[in-house]
Amino acid sequence: MKRYFIVIDEEQKGPFSIEQIAEKNINKNTLVWNETFEDWIEAGKVEDFEYILKKSPPPIPKIGIEEKAVKVILTKEKVTKPKKDYSKTIESLFKLLLLSFVFGVIVYFISAFGVYDTTKFDNYNWSSVRYDGTTGWNFPLDEYSPDFYSSNCNPERINDCLKENIADRKQVISGMSFKNAIITSIIGYLILVFFYFVTREKSEEK
């Protein structure tokens, strides 16, 4: 009975009979040797191994494995999406909010002092206040002054009435200016946010 040495995992094994080798994981490229050979021979070139090799799968092509591994890696790289960092976006939106707040403050002062002139009657000549007997006291009034009824005032508290009239007017103007500031801040913020995302998308496309 012929007995062969075989090379498995780069180690010499054996000697084995043909029946024993049939139980091993060999292929046509497995090196075999016995005393009749001058050197190691591939199993696929030895007639005794033809029956065994017909039942054994061919050796795994190394090139195919490498190509498959590369495809798997490339597929994973394509599927795996990097996590987005929203910290910069939140920081930018917060800065835009502060900028719109500054716009609102500026609009408030322009509205109060420039448009409605909240200090218009601060230096009013109180001595000019008179009661004409028909329409009442000639308090400083304009379109932003509150309604005044002469029954609410009398000669003894003329100065207090004048101060209340001017204070009420300032309160009305302050409310109008604050409303304008809020509206400006909101509209300004929306516009800034819109342009922020538009410019960011264009920069990401480049």
Side-chain angles (χ1 to χ4, degrees):
M1 179 184 292
K2 292 183 180 179
R3 300 180 68 84
Y4 289 90
F5 291 90
I6 62 177
V7 176
I8 297 178
D9 296 331
E10 299 183 358
E11 291 186 8
Q12 177 181 310
K13 307 286 183 178
F16 301 113
S17 65
I18 295 295
E19 290 76 11
Q20 291 174 319
I21 294 176
E23 298 176 356
K24 308 293 181 181
N25 185 22
I26 69 168
N27 56 61
K28 66 178 182 180
N29 295 327
T30 302
L31 296 176
V32 299
W33 182 87
N34 71 8
E35 64 273 9
T36 63
F37 298 158
E38 293 182 359
D39 200 353
W40 291 90
I41 301 176
E42 293 178 350
K45 297 179 181 179
V46 179
E47 185 178 353
D48 292 342
F49 294 98
E50 288 182 358
Y51 175 75
I52 297 175
L53 294 176
K54 286 181 180 179
K55 295 183 177 181
S56 302
I60 299 174
K62 294 182 178 179
I63 296 176
I65 293 175
E66 291 175 356
E67 289 178 351
K68 188 176 181 180
V70 171
K71 289 180 179 179
V72 171
I73 293 172
L74 292 175
T75 303
K76 287 183 177 180
E77 289 179 350
K78 291 179 180 179
V79 173
T80 304
K81 295 181 179 180
K83 294 182 178 179
K84 292 185 178 181
D85 184 9
Y86 292 100
S87 59
K88 291 184 178 179
T89 301
I90 294 173
E91 182 182 353
S92 299
L93 293 177
F94 181 73
K95 289 180 179 179
L96 294 177
L97 182 62
L98 292 178
L99 184 59
S100 63
F101 174 76
V102 172
F103 287 159
V105 172
I106 293 173
V107 168
Y108 174 83
F109 283 101
I110 293 175
S111 179
F113 294 94
V115 178
Y116 303 128
D117 191 5
T118 188
T119 61
K120 181 177 180 180
F121 299 117
D122 283 356
N123 299 319
Y124 190 79
N125 183 6
W126 294 8
S127 62
S128 64
V129 178
R130 296 287 186 273
Y131 183 75
D132 60 9
T134 303
T135 58
W137 300 94
N138 62 333
F139 281 120
L141 297 173
D142 60 10
E143 65 270 29
Y144 310 118
S145 299
D147 292 334
F148 173 76
Y149 300 96
S150 59
S151 59
N152 296 335
C153 192
N154 55 60
E156 287 75 21
R157 60 185 303 270
I158 185 66
N159 291 341
D160 293 334
C161 289
L162 178 59
K163 291 178 181 178
E164 291 172 5
N165 180 269
I166 294 175
D168 290 344
R169 179 183 182 276
K170 287 185 177 182
Q171 187 175 358
V172 172
I173 289 175
S174 179
M176 296 169 63
S177 300
F178 182 76
K179 180 180 179 181
N180 292 342
I182 293 296
I183 294 174
T184 301
S185 297
I186 294 174
I187 295 175
Y189 182 69
L190 294 176
I191 293 174
L192 290 173
V193 169
F194 172 77
F195 281 106
Y196 166 75
F197 282 107
V198 169
T199 53
R200 192 182 71 168
E201 287 180 2
K202 289 183 178 179
S203 61
E204 289 178 352
E205 290 176 357
K206 292 180 180 179

